[in-house]
Amino acid sequence: MFLPDNLKDTSAEKAAETARNEAYKRIDAWCLDMVPLDIRTAVEISVQEVVCGDPECAPIDTAIAIIFKSGGRGMMGLPMEAKEVTLNHIREQFPPNDVLVKWHKGEEVDWPPAYDGMDDLGGLPDLRFEVGQKVECRVGPDEVTGWAKGVVKQLWYRESDWADGSYAPYKVTLDDNKEIFAPGDVDMVIRAQK
């Protein structure tokens, strides 16, 4: 039997939407608390979930835009639904205060740091893993089972169709021979193989 849309039970959908909106508010508050007090009134945080169509990434990412009235802005993405995001996830990915101050002034800042392929790596932060090191990469939404084992194949990886200055810290070949990249050098994205 088919019910007209206006008679279907939508309580599960409403509960999911309520949980998502509560998570957005929580993430927004955490991010605002991490912005220096003297520039906090000039910033807006925008949080939303983005569906990823790539079968090798998390099905839903949480995108966080940091937008200053001056026009300075930045963005970070977390490979999970908003309801899964914790304060530690935010702390691991949030830009440092010097970057936030430059965005507040309307200055352009390469963040996260990018490697242009021409300079030596001296200006970039040290990465935790080296080429050939065995790692696990987050490839699914579940914090326990959403990991795949692999080996680091390249540092500061870039694809030709990416915007100028866009790089990923690692290119990884998974044990099933799929090649992926790790978009951040943090435990929630890539970790040492157990």
Side-chain angles (χ1 to χ4, degrees):
M1 177 168 123
F2 295 99
L3 292 174
D5 285 342
N6 62 343
L7 295 178
K8 289 182 182 176
D9 181 9
T10 59
S11 59
E13 290 174 10
K14 288 179 183 177
E17 182 68 22
T18 298
R20 187 171 25 259
N21 288 333
E22 288 172 1
Y24 289 170
K25 289 177 188 174
R26 186 174 56 250
I27 294 166
D28 182 272
W30 288 335
C31 290
L32 277 175
D33 283 346
M34 296 186 71
V35 174
L37 190 57
D38 58 328
I39 62 173
R40 195 173 293 168
T41 59
V43 69
E44 179 180 326
I45 306 293
S46 174
V47 182
Q48 70 180 42
E49 289 181 345
V50 179
V51 176
C52 181
D54 184 343
E56 295 183 13
C57 72
I60 297 178
D61 291 341
T62 298
I64 303 167
I66 305 162
I67 306 163
F68 285 92
K69 291 178 183 176
S70 65
R73 63 179 54 222
M75 180 170 267
M76 58 191 232
L78 302 170
M80 63 192 70
E81 293 181 39
K83 67 182 180 185
E84 299 172 299
V85 175
T86 67
L87 179 56
N88 283 338
H89 293 135
I90 300 295
R91 285 182 177 146
E92 287 178 353
Q93 290 285 333
F94 209 75
N97 285 352
D98 63 318
V99 169
L100 294 168
V101 168
K102 288 179 180 177
W103 286 343
H104 173 256
K105 293 177 181 177
E107 297 176 17
E108 299 244 353
V109 181
D110 283 334
W111 183 85
Y115 173 58
D116 65 10
M118 302 303 287
D119 302 326
D120 64 4
L121 294 175
L124 294 172
D126 292 333
L127 295 175
R128 295 178 300 148
F129 306 111
E130 297 176 5
V131 172
Q133 193 165 353
K134 293 183 177 186
V135 294
E136 294 179 346
C137 295
R138 180 88 177 257
V139 294
D142 188 277
E143 290 186 29
V144 176
T145 62
W147 295 87
K149 293 181 179 185
V151 176
V152 174
K153 289 298 182 184
Q154 182 181 339
L155 304 180
W156 298 113
Y157 172 71
R158 171 173 170 60
E159 292 190 358
S160 61
D161 61 343
W162 290 359
D164 289 343
S166 295
Y167 292 82
Y170 303 103
K171 180 178 181 179
V172 176
T173 300
L174 299 178
D175 287 356
D176 65 3
N177 290 322
K178 288 183 183 174
E179 290 192 333
I180 64 169
F181 65 88
D185 188 20
V186 292
D187 280 340
M188 65 183 209
V189 173
I190 185 170
R191 64 188 184 195
Q193 203 172 104
K194 294 180 179 178

